[in-house]
């Protein structure tokens, strides 16, 4: 079975004047269709960098990233925009909804950029909003909703384009523990329905909800395996202090 | 995302911050409004000039013979000879002797009443009709008769409407009134076209101490012959005087052209100034759009993450700028029409002359096109800035 996401020796360097930060340092890993993977690590470990590469928001400095078999590294900005639209559903920590648009219009945005006709777009947006339990609020503005509800809208928006990968960056970062659980359960549910979910978080208790954990530290993968193995949640300074 | 949707999105964004949108548009509104009013004024003035001269008749030439040296010759025979030599274009002739002696009715003196010595053809040349009595006749000129024809204002005001048979004094000369002209101006007034005394030019040159000599009114058969007639008279006068400075011939058509082109020159200058204000308005739009791009960095980042191409973002911002500017243009056009109407009223009130400030539809279309174009032009730079934003930086931006 070919993998949906494949990193081969992916490096990402940031140049900060005289310094060069290696935010991703020879990362190799692969994620198959239908998996629920959590990428964990402390702040500064390279999670966002990984997420941006997976999300085709930028390309690796070196190494190869294959998404659904396509080499993202060789794509131009318009091709990247098109592949984001087609294959990826983003869920952000701050929801990132458009305050002036109602829920329907918010969910329609990726469909609009995909060139879907208006009637079909409407119907699809309604359908996914119902799926996340907001079918009765489609004409509301995001500001009229609670944080948890807003995050569900952003889940609906991510789902609308039927992407190959749902990419959630700290989706619970701005939520209390009860609503966090709700959102995670929703992601699990989506995974059970066959969606591939990649969850980025610094929180072990959230990460263990996934099937598999990829733990990063200083741009390296220091663990990649079952989320329920005891090594998956060991505190980083005990596990890999010598790399610091 | 098609054009219509992008346009609707632009309208939504403009409507969501009305005050700012209005301020953004203000430069365009003022610029367009200025262009509309200025062009309207120009049109109004041209029309006014045309109308004023149409009274005199566009087939009219005015001839001034200064002669040479100090001789105060009144060579009407020469002029009549020129007329006879060019019957194909020249139609009628009247010497014009303006007199500045005051008019007396009984013991009252009226200084504002105009007095002119003219030929028997003069009323026909100007299209004046005789209401009572008779007009001037050839024999009056030959005999240098002490008779005159008065305007309706004179008859109505000083003779109770029955002036024929009465007498009037010009300076120290007593004249018998033989006719009254039809009313000419819409409203008769003192010193106007109807407050006139016309006597035979031969009588005028005999009795006048202050009159001017050497002025002639000549008509051509049709307006198109104005230039030809002018040339014929000039050639004739040159043969007599051998000096182009001894006479001047001006056609009314030519006068209209000269004045219209003067008005046009002034209007072009004013329009350029107004156009500069449009450019300033465009820079205003660019400013606000640049601010708006910075403010909406996050929105742009989200849109790009969700699959918006650079071209799509560029289009969104350009259309938003163009829409803002075009709305400003439409408001400016509306305001321009309102101000034109106000100006028309003001002119009527202040100058007792009616001049209609008429904005032309060409100006309106141009103003609209230019304002939308300015939006595109000055919206492009901010839009390109938006389109080029790095989505990661944009998403991180707070
Ligand atoms: N745009 C950037 N410019 C310079 N350094 C960066 C940039 N983004 C991330 N880094 C650096 O790369 C490393 C990894 O960052 P990041 O991927 O954001 O980690 P995390 O999301 O796990 O906190 C950090 O040391 C960070 O300072
Ligand atoms: Mg991060």
């Amino acid at each position: 079975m070919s993998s949906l996401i494949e990193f081969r020796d992916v490096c990402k360097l940031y140049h900060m004047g005289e310094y060069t930060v290696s935010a991703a340092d020879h990362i190799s890993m692969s994620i198959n269709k239908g998996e629920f993977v959590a990428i964990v690590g402390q702040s500064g470990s390279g999670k966002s960098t990984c997420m941006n590469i997976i999300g085709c928001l930028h390309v690796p400095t070196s190494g190869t990233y294959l998404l659904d078999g396509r080499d993202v590294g060789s794509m131009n900005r318009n091709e990247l925009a098109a592949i984001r639209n087609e294959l990826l559903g983003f869920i952000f920590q701050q929801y990132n909804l458009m305050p002036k648009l109602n829920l329907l219009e918010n969910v329609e945005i990726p469909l609009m950029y995909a060139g879907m006709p208006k009637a079909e777009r409407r119907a699809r947006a309604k359908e996914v909003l119902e799926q996340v339990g907001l079918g009765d609020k489609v004409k509301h503005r995001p500001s009229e909703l609670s944080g948890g509800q807003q995050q569900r809208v952003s889940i609906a928006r991510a789902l609308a384009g039927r992407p190959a990968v749902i990419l959630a960056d700290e989706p619970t970062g701005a939520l209390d523990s009860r609503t966090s659980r709700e959102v995670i359960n929703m992601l699990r549910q989506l995974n059970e329905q066959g969606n591939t979910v990649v969850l980025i978080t610094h929180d072990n208790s959230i990460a263990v909800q996934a099937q598999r954990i990829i733990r990063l530290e200083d741009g390296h993968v220091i663990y990649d395996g079952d989320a329920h193995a005891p090594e998956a949640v060991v505190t980083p300074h005990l596990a890999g202090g010598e790399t610091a | 995302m098609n054009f219509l949707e992008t346009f609707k999105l632009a309208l939504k964004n403009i409507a969501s911050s009305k005050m700012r949108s209005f301020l953004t548009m203000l430069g365009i509104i003022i610029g367009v409004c200025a262009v509309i009013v200025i062009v309207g004024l120009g049109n109004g003035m041209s029309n006014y000039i045309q109308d004023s001269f149409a009274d005199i008749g566009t087939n009219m030439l005015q001839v001034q013979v200064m002669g040479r040296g100090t001789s105060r010759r009144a060579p009407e025979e020469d002029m009549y000879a020129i007329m006879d030599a060019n019957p194909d274009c020249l139609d009628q002739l009247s010497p014009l002797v303006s007199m500045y002696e005051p008019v007396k009715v009984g013991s009252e003196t009226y200084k504002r009443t105009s007095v002119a010595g003219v030929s028997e053809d003069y009323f026909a040349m100007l299209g004046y009709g005789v209401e009572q009595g008779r007009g001037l006749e050839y024999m009056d000129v030959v005999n240098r008769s002490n008779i005159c024809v008065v305007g309706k204002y004179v008859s109505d005001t000083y003779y109770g409407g029955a002036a024929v048979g009465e007498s009037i004094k010009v300076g120290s000369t007593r004249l018998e009134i033989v006719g009254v002209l039809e009313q000419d101006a819409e409203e008769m007034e003192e010193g106007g076209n109807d407050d006139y005394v016309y006597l035979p030019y031969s009588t005028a040159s005999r009795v006048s101490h202050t009159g001017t000599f050497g002025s002639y009114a000549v008509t051509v058969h049709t307006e198109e012959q104005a230039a030809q007639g002018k040339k014929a008279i000039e050639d004739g006068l040159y043969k007599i005087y051998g000096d182009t400075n001894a006479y001047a011939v001006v056609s009314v058509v030519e006068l209209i052209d000269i004045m219209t082109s003067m008005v046009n020159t002034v209007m072009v200058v004013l329009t350029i100034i107004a156009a500069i204000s449009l450019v300033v308005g465009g820079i205003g739009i660019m400013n606000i759009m640049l601010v708006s791009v910075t403010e909406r960095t996050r929105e742009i980042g989200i849109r790009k993450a969700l699959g918006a191409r650079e071209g799509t973002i560029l289009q969104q911002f350009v259309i938003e700028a163009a829409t803002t500017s075009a709305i400003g243009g439409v408001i400016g056009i509306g305001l321009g029409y309102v101000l034109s109407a106000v100006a028309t009223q003001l002119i009527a009130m202040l100058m007792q002359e009616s001049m209609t400030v008429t904005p032309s539809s060409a100006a309106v279309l141009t103003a609209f096109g230019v304002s939308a174009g300015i939006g595109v032009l000055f919206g492009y730079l901010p839009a390109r800035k938006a389109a080029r934003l790095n989505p990661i930086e944009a998403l991180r931006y707070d």
Side-chain angles (χ1 to χ4, degrees):
Chain A
M1 177 182 177
S2 72
S3 47
L4 189 56
I5 291 169
E6 187 169 353
F7 275 37
R8 290 183 195 154
D9 269 334
V10 166
C11 295
K12 183 75 190 179
L13 303 176
Y14 291 111
H15 300 283
M16 305 277 289
E18 295 168 28
Y19 302 96
T20 301
V21 180
S22 191
D25 196 358
H26 297 279
I27 295 181
S28 294
M29 53 106 174
S30 75
I31 296 171
N32 289 327
K33 192 169 181 311
E35 276 196 280
F36 185 179
V37 180
I39 297 176
V40 262
Q42 286 187 319
S43 174
S45 58
K47 302 183 298 294
S48 295
T49 303
C50 267
M51 130 108 189
N52 289 338
I53 293 173
I54 295 173
C56 302
L57 289 163
H58 59 200
V59 294
T61 313
S62 68
T64 309
Y65 166 40
L66 300 175
L67 175 58
D68 200 22
R70 289 182 246 179
D71 185 0
V72 173
S74 63
M75 291 183 176
N76 67 28
R77 290 196 294 261
N78 276 339
E79 288 169 330
L80 289 173
I83 203 169
R84 283 198 294 269
N85 184 259
E86 186 192 336
L87 295 180
L88 295 157
F90 287 91
I91 300 167
F92 303 99
Q93 179 175 356
Q94 302 91 341
Y95 329 130
N96 282 344
L97 301 172
M98 306 276 173
K100 288 172 192 166
L101 305 182
N102 66 31
L103 303 194
L104 264 184
E105 291 164 335
N106 263 289
V107 174
E108 278 181 47
I109 294 173
L111 305 178
M112 200 165 69
Y113 291 133
M116 189 183 280
K118 184 152 181 138
E120 197 183 336
R121 227 160 65 193
R122 271 279 127 106
R124 176 81 69 83
K126 221 170 223 160
E127 182 190 313
V128 287
L129 279 167
E130 269 159 17
Q131 197 181 335
V132 299
L134 291 169
D136 55 335
K137 292 196 165 59
V138 295
K139 295 283 180 185
H140 288 240
R141 297 281 178 92
S143 56
E144 299 163 41
L145 270 54
S146 71
Q149 286 172 323
Q150 290 192 51
Q151 195 56 297
R152 281 193 270 154
V153 177
S154 95
I155 292 173
R157 184 177 62 187
L159 279 177
R162 302 205 173 126
V165 182
I166 290 171
L167 199 51
D169 184 16
E170 304 271 7
T172 59
L175 301 174
D176 60 47
S177 57
R178 200 177 60 81
T179 25
S180 291
R181 222 172 305 129
E182 256 176 50
V183 166
I184 294 301
N185 282 337
M186 191 162 278
L187 289 178
R188 281 175 78 157
Q189 224 177 330
L190 291 175
N191 175 242
E192 279 156 21
Q193 289 161 8
N195 290 291
T196 310
V197 179
V198 177
L199 169 68
I200 281 110
T201 180
H202 68 279
D203 187 340
N204 282 327
S205 66
I206 297 287
V208 293
Q209 307 289 316
Q211 296 162 345
R212 174 179 158 199
I213 282 179
I214 296 173
R215 180 173 295 281
L216 296 179
E217 194 177 293
D218 289 334
H220 300 281
V221 176
I222 57 162
Y223 177 85
D224 182 354
D226 188 355
H228 304 99
E231 311 93 276
V233 289
V234 284
T235 44
H237 65 270
L238 289 177
E242 73 275 8
T243 57
Chain B
M1 189 168 186
N2 62 30
F3 179 83
L4 192 68
E5 280 169 352
T6 315
F7 180 67
K8 279 185 188 162
L9 184 69
L11 284 182
K12 199 166 213 159
N13 274 320
I14 291 165
S16 70
S17 45
K18 291 190 185 61
M19 191 62 194
R20 164 190 284 212
S21 301
F22 175 73
L23 290 175
T24 311
M25 292 169 192
L26 199 56
I28 297 289
I29 293 176
I30 293 171
V32 167
C33 176
V35 169
I36 299 281
V37 173
I38 287 166
V39 171
L41 267 174
N43 284 340
M45 276 162 86
S46 304
N47 291 343
Y48 177 71
I49 291 167
Q50 304 270 354
D51 289 352
S52 313
F53 281 100
D55 275 3
I56 305 173
T58 43
N59 60 343
M60 183 79 74
L61 307 176
Q62 287 175 339
V63 183
Q64 192 70 41
V65 181
M66 285 75 82
R68 273 181 309 194
T70 52
S71 77
R72 287 216 315 169
R73 204 174 117 128
E76 61 269 11
E77 283 83 7
D78 294 341
M79 283 303 296
Y80 276 107
I82 292 171
M83 294 299 291
D84 291 341
N86 298 281
D88 52 325
C89 60
L90 301 181
D91 187 18
Q92 290 179 302
L93 170 75
S94 172
L96 282 175
V97 183
S98 298
M99 294 174 67
Y100 302 99
E101 279 87 352
V103 169
K104 272 193 196 163
V105 178
S107 58
E108 290 294 322
T109 303
Y110 300 102
K111 287 203 171 118
R112 297 194 61 188
T113 303
S114 310
V115 183
V118 298
S119 79
E120 70 280 6
D121 292 326
Y122 189 68
F123 301 146
M125 288 166 76
L126 285 164
Y128 291 172
V130 177
E131 190 184 82
Q132 299 166 30
R134 63 173 179 87
L136 296 177
E137 285 167 5
Y138 178 61
M139 288 314 291
D140 298 327
V141 175
V142 173
N143 296 335
R144 303 182 177 194
S145 315
N146 284 351
I147 55 111
C148 69
V149 173
V150 297
K152 190 163 168 61
Y153 179 86
V154 176
S155 169
D156 285 5
T157 316
Y158 308 133
Y159 298 96
V164 176
E166 301 291 328
S167 70
I168 192 165
K169 265 174 99 174
V170 174
S172 55
T173 312
R174 183 173 298 276
L175 303 171
E176 184 194 343
I177 298 173
V178 297
V180 177
L181 294 176
E182 284 170 358
Q183 181 170 339
D184 177 52
E186 261 170 50
E187 275 186 51
M188 297 196 293
E189 57 190 351
E190 190 174 5
N193 271 358
D194 295 288
D195 189 7
Y196 243 102
V197 174
Y198 296 101
L199 62 159
Y201 70 87
S202 51
T203 315
S205 63
R206 175 169 58 84
V207 305
S208 177
H209 304 293
T210 61
T212 56
F213 301 90
S215 269
Y216 301 88
V218 178
T219 52
V220 287
H221 296 292
T222 64
E223 188 182 319
E224 291 71 39
Q225 292 174 321
Q228 189 193 345
K230 177 178 159 166
K231 176 129 197 336
I233 297 169
E234 281 173 342
D235 289 350
L237 289 170
Y238 187 78
K239 274 188 202 131
I240 297 162
Y241 296 100
D243 180 358
T244 51
N245 290 324
Y247 53 85
V249 184
V250 185
S251 73
V252 168
V253 172
E254 197 178 47
L255 276 181
I256 293 177
D257 285 350
I258 290 169
M259 295 196 61
T260 308
S261 83
M262 272 165 59
V263 168
N264 285 345
T265 309
V266 172
M267 289 307 146
V268 165
V269 171
L270 288 177
T271 308
I272 287 171
I273 293 170
I276 290 171
S277 79
L278 272 178
V279 172
V280 174
I283 292 170
I285 287 188
M286 183 161 71
N287 256 322
I288 303 283
M289 288 301 289
L290 282 170
V291 172
S292 161
V293 167
T294 306
E295 279 182 359
R296 287 158 67 184
T297 298
R298 196 173 188 84
E299 175 195 329
I300 295 161
I302 299 166
R303 288 184 181 279
K304 293 191 108 178
L306 297 179
R309 289 157 176 262
E310 292 193 358
T312 312
I313 299 283
L314 185 82
Q315 180 188 322
Q316 182 189 334
F317 277 84
V318 166
I319 288 180
E320 194 168 320
T323 306
T324 306
S325 188
I327 291 175
V330 169
I331 296 175
I333 289 167
L335 198 65
Y337 267 95
V338 171
L339 283 187
S340 296
V342 169
T344 302
Q345 294 296 322
L346 269 183
I347 291 167
M349 253 166 58
L350 296 179
M351 314 204 330
Q352 289 149 354
E353 294 277 3
S354 68
M355 187 185 109
T356 315
V357 181
T358 347
S360 72
S361 50
V364 169
L365 283 180
T366 312
F368 181 79
V370 166
S371 55
I374 278 176
V376 173
L377 195 69
F378 289 93
Y380 185 79
L381 192 75
R384 206 184 55 170
K385 188 182 162 200
R388 296 238 174 123
L389 278 178
N390 178 343
I392 298 167
E393 303 296 325
L395 281 169
R396 226 195 335 236
Y397 187 89
D398 283 301

